[in-house]
Amino acid sequence: MGRLGFSTSESARLLRSVFGVLALSVALAEQEGENLSGLSNNPDRAIFAVRENGTTCLMVEFAVKFLVPYDVLALNGIDLITEQTSFTLPRGAEIEGKCGSSESEIHITWKNKAYTLRIYFSKETRNKGVEVWKISKVQFIYDTAEPSHFINAYNPGKHTANTHRLSALVTPAGRSYLCAAQQTLTLISTDHQKGVTVSMSDIQIQPFDITSDFIFSEPYKCITDQRERLEETLPFVLGIILVLIIVITLTVYHFHLKLTATQPQLPRDRSMYKNM
């Protein structure tokens, strides 16, 4: 059998072709994050999207507030005092993310990576074959050496706070989660197990099954909003019912008076009829 050989130029062309195919496959699977916060009229609300192959595959709109405890040295130079700092998620944050058929995630970073918020989503099938998605984990990385929020922090450095066995914002598959009310999560930090609070409000999120670019699917309203709306409309409904009851009562009473007035009145003393 003859020996198959390649010239140097042919080998180079073959390698270029192989690398070209690999580069193309990577490009086809490319996922990028986009910050669309400038489209929001609410100065506290950020809009972030993750796109795959030029199509939106994950999108979040929300306002996020953080409450983070940290240690400072007392005036005696010996004891430690726990302080709390509060700040919000800036609209100018950087975005990365990953989309999948059953798992997705978004990473939001700001202040030169001093802060990173990571939200993980998963899809699952529940009773009677109902498919839902949820937030399965929230992670917040923060650096107490960052001076704009952490003043005179003791032993400054990076810490990571995580949720534990989280199942939040459960939503039917194919729909977006919509909630104006505040949703609060507590994360446990590596900084001596301190509790970090992450509060989200004015929310609309969809991590799977987005059918139109940059457009949420049909919203699934949170129970809190439904309850608040009921509480707002209930007094109005009860007022209408009360007015109707009064009108019906007055109408019945009016007809009763008319019927009574048309009937002949018999004299009370009937003895005059007995003597006739």
Side-chain angles (χ1 to χ4, degrees), residues 9 16 52 57-58 88 102 116 125 129 155 162 167 178 182 191-193 198 208 230 238 246 259-260 275:
S9 58
R16 282 197 297 268
E52 183 177 46
C57 56
L58 187 159
T88 58
S102 60
T116 300
T125 302
N155 193 21
N162 290 291
S167 182
L178 181 66
Q182 181 172 286
D191 182 13
H192 299 89
Q193 301 298 299
V198 178
F208 303 100
L230 178 62
L238 291 177
I246 293 173
L259 290 173
T260 305
N275 296 328

Side-chain angles (χ1 to χ4, degrees), residues 27-135:
L28 291 174
E30 182 180 2
Q31 295 178 343
E32 59 181 358
E34 292 196 26
N35 188 331
L36 307 173
S37 301
L39 301 177
S40 175
N41 295 325
N42 184 344
D44 297 323
R45 193 185 196 200
I47 306 176
F48 305 122
V50 178
R51 306 184 80 219
E52 183 177 46
N53 300 331
T55 303
T56 306
C57 56
L58 187 159
M59 193 156 67
V60 301
E61 295 187 21
F62 52 17
V64 186
K65 183 178 180 180
F66 302 90
L67 187 63
V68 184
Y70 68 101
D71 291 333
V72 298
L73 201 60
L75 292 176
N76 60 15
I78 300 174
D79 299 324
L80 293 179
I81 301 174
T82 300
E83 298 282 356
Q84 284 190 331
T85 182
S86 175
F87 51 91
T88 58
L89 174 66
R91 298 176 61 171
E94 298 178 1
I95 296 302
E96 292 182 352
K98 297 178 182 178
C99 292
S101 58
S102 60
E103 292 185 352
S104 296
E105 58 192 71
I106 186 168
H107 303 172
I108 307 170
T109 305
W110 66 99
K111 282 281 185 182
N112 296 319
K113 297 187 177 180
Y115 305 96
T116 300
L117 176 65
R118 295 174 179 165
I119 305 176
Y120 299 84
F121 305 91
S122 63
K123 186 188 289 188
E124 61 183 36
T125 302
R126 295 196 168 183
N127 296 335
K128 299 181 180 179
V130 176
E131 195 173 37
V132 300
W133 65 261
K134 65 179 183 179
I135 293 181

Side-chain angles (χ1 to χ4, degrees), residues 199-211:
S199 300
M200 299 182 291
S201 60
D202 203 8
I203 310 165
Q204 188 161 16
I205 295 178
Q206 187 172 357
F208 303 100
D209 307 317
I210 297 178
T211 56

Side-chain angles (χ1 to χ4, degrees), residues 27 91 136 142 152 159:
R91 298 176 61 171
S136 55
Y142 59 99
N152 299 324
H159 301 283

Side-chain angles (χ1 to χ4, degrees), residues 225-268:
D225 279 6
Q226 295 177 19
R227 186 184 300 115
E228 288 181 354
R229 185 173 181 181
L230 178 62
E231 291 174 353
E232 291 175 356
T233 57
L234 188 58
F236 177 73
V237 173
L238 291 177
I240 293 177
I241 293 173
L242 181 60
V243 170
L244 289 175
I245 291 174
I246 293 173
V247 170
I248 292 172
T249 303
L250 291 175
T251 303
V252 171
Y253 180 69
H254 175 71
F255 278 108
H256 172 72
L257 289 178
K258 289 186 67 175
L259 290 173
T260 305
T262 57
Q263 292 180 356
Q265 298 294 321
L266 296 176
R268 294 181 180 179

